[in-house]
Amino acid sequence: ETGTGKELFAKAIHSASHRRYYVFEPINCSAIPDNLLESELFGYEAGAFTGAEKRGKIGKLQFAHNGTIFLDEIGDMPINLQAKLLRFLEDRYIFKLGGVTPIRVNTRITAATSKDLHMLMKEGKFRKDLFYRLNVILIRIPPLRERIEDLDLLAEAFLEKFSERYNKSIRGIDPSLLNRFRQYSWPGNVREFENIIEYGVLLETSSVLNENSVIMQFEENEEK
């Protein structure tokens, strides 16, 4: 699900691997227009298209050589680009847009999605061969409602982060507020929880985060 921390998890995998001394490059496939995503990933040669830089441009796959590319929301990748990504995964060579020379690239791909790829495959919107090529090791990150026991650790981390950022001295969370947090379903997952803690830290005037500081934001989220 969105907001569970997929990029953070992917970066942790990268940081624990022998590739940690090289680049970790995240790309959100849903945030880049389809016509730009290909050049972003593979780069382009000089004069490849109108508006292209005169010297050409290196793509993210080549930029992250020996490192890791994290493709978030890969379910939104256009079908024609999926074929080109599959070719790279098969032979580890790329061709820049407008280029004819293959470039050897040793970049690991990790990918994530909040969409049902099996349904997209049935609808012809995601290539089966790419799915099976990517689906070597599958990791499901559970939503926050399925790991409520993490709330205490997350709260501690977020309190420290935002107290330092906003120069506040907040040492903990009122038990009644923490209990309410545990009973909430958190549809926005960790991202939503982080947002609530930041909101509370900004408004809190005491040394303990209490319900009065987050009630407006929290009730608004509950109504959605």
Side-chain angles (χ1 to χ4, degrees):
E1 294 183 14
T2 184
T4 53
K6 297 186 289 292
E7 182 177 332
L8 186 66
F9 202 94
K11 192 169 186 179
I13 294 172
H14 170 81
S15 298
S17 75
H18 68 279
R19 295 178 183 265
R20 62 186 176 275
Y21 302 110
Y22 299 94
V23 171
F24 173 83
E25 187 71 19
I27 295 179
N28 190 320
C29 298
S30 66
I32 302 175
D34 292 356
N35 61 330
L36 296 180
L37 186 56
E38 183 175 3
S39 63
E40 189 74 10
L41 280 172
F42 293 91
Y44 57 82
E45 297 289 359
F49 53 86
T50 302
E53 293 184 15
K54 293 181 179 180
R55 294 178 296 178
K57 184 179 179 181
I58 187 173
K60 299 295 187 183
L61 284 168
Q62 187 178 358
F63 176 71
H65 179 64
N66 290 326
T68 303
I69 285 280
F70 172 57
L71 298 176
D72 196 9
E73 298 302 344
I74 195 168
D76 292 318
M77 179 175 283
I79 197 78
N80 63 307
L81 188 51
Q82 291 176 29
K84 192 165 183 178
L85 178 62
L86 176 64
R87 171 56 59 188
F88 163 71
L89 290 170
E90 294 289 351
D91 59 26
R92 297 292 170 174
Y93 284 94
I94 64 167
F95 287 87
K96 291 184 177 182
L97 269 70
V100 295
T101 304
I103 302 171
R104 179 72 172 175
V105 175
N106 176 29
T107 302
R108 177 169 57 190
I109 298 288
T110 56
T113 183
S114 58
K115 294 188 174 181
D116 185 341
L117 292 186
H118 291 283
M119 183 60 67
L120 291 179
M121 286 189 288
K122 289 180 181 179
E123 296 173 353
K125 297 178 181 178
F126 200 85
R127 294 179 62 107
K128 291 182 179 180
D129 45 8
L130 177 59
F131 173 80
Y132 293 118
R133 189 65 185 82
L134 286 170
N135 195 33
V136 178
I137 298 176
L138 174 64
I139 299 174
R140 177 181 177 270
I141 303 178
L144 185 54
R145 64 183 175 274
E146 293 181 11
R147 50 188 176 106
I148 292 298
E149 65 276 7
D150 288 351
L151 272 176
D152 289 14
L153 288 172
L154 289 168
E156 182 180 339
F158 293 150
L159 277 176
E160 181 179 348
K161 172 183 177 179
F162 295 120
S163 292
E164 182 178 343
R165 177 179 295 181
Y166 300 117
N167 196 27
K168 294 289 193 77
S169 298
I170 301 176
R171 297 192 303 268
I173 298 179
D174 184 270
S176 62
L177 177 58
L178 199 55
N179 186 55
R180 186 168 181 178
F181 283 163
R182 293 182 181 124
Q183 295 174 359
Y184 181 54
S185 62
W186 298 106
N189 291 296
V190 178
R191 183 183 292 120
E192 181 185 6
F193 185 51
E194 182 177 16
N195 174 267
I196 289 287
I197 297 296
E198 181 176 13
Y199 179 88
V201 168
L202 280 166
L203 296 185
E204 187 57 67
T205 57
S206 71
S207 60
V208 176
L209 191 65
N210 63 71
E211 198 164 329
N212 292 331
S213 297
V214 302
I215 192 66
M216 288 184 63
Q217 182 82 342
F218 196 53
E219 287 184 342
E220 182 179 326
N221 286 14
E222 285 181 316
E223 291 173 0
K224 290 181 179 179

